[in-house]
């Protein structure tokens, strides 16, 4: 029952393959919620760094009409930020399942 509750509360999660499809074919905005120092070490190509602590002040940088993929190390920050975005009019908010830890385990590409 927890997956149903979590999906309703936080929004849908996407595994690495589904996230790649959303990025490549859905014109998704990739929002990396980590600290700038972590972001500079490695990130998903074309992602934008908006730390979770500042996202509320930077919503104007995002397009509400495009899907949003939230990423962080393990998905915890994304689960906190997702309800905020959904509550302010973002219709398509997705969380990278397992975060960048899972992305790395699945040997998906990073930009350095």
């Amino acid at each position: 029952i927890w997956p149903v509750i979590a999906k309703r509360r936080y929004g849908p999660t996407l595994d690495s393959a589904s996230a790649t499809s959303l990025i490549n074919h859905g014109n998704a905005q990739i929002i990396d919620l980590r600290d700038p120092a972590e972001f500079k070490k490695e990130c998903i190509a074309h992602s934008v760094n908006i730390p979770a602590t500042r996202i509320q002040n930077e919503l104007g940088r995002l397009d509400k009409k495009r899907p949003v993929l939230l990423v962080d190390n393990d998905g915890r920050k994304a689960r906190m930020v997702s309800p905020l975005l959904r509550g302010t009019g973002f219709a398509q908010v997705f969380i990278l399942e397992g975060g960048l830890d899972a992305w790395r385990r699945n040997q998906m590409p990073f930009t350095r």
Side-chain angles (χ1 to χ4, degrees), residues 84-100:
L84 169 70
L85 294 182
R86 294 171 66 216
T88 56
F90 289 84
Q92 298 181 67
V93 180
F94 302 91
I95 297 170
L96 180 61
E97 187 175 294
L100 294 172

Side-chain angles (χ1 to χ4, degrees), residues 35-111:
D35 294 327
E38 290 179 285
F39 180 78
K40 287 179 184 176
K41 289 179 186 175
E42 64 181 5
C43 62
I44 296 174
H46 307 293
S47 60
V48 176
N49 182 225
I50 305 176
T53 56
R54 294 196 326 236
I55 190 93
Q56 190 166 2
N57 298 328
E58 303 207 27
L59 293 177
R61 292 177 57 188
L62 306 176
D63 183 348
K64 290 184 178 184
K65 296 176 185 168
R66 289 175 55 201
V68 175
L69 178 63
L70 298 173
V71 301
D72 61 10
N73 286 323
D74 57 11
R76 287 185 215 169
K77 290 178 182 178
R79 284 190 300 272
M80 291 185 326
V81 169
S82 177
L84 169 70
L85 294 182
R86 294 171 66 216
T88 56
F90 289 84
Q92 298 181 67
V93 180
F94 302 91
I95 297 170
L96 180 61
E97 187 175 294
L100 294 172
D101 293 341
W103 186 267
R104 197 174 291 108
R105 276 193 308 275
N106 291 320
Q107 299 178 349
M108 302 301 282
F110 280 97
T111 299

Side-chain angles (χ1 to χ4, degrees), residues 18-31 46 63-69 92 94:
S18 299
T20 300
S21 180
L22 181 68
I23 293 164
N24 292 336
H25 305 293
N27 196 27
Q29 304 169 90
I30 311 162
I31 308 305
H46 307 293
D63 183 348
K64 290 184 178 184
K65 296 176 185 168
R66 289 175 55 201
V68 175
L69 178 63
Q92 298 181 67
F94 302 91

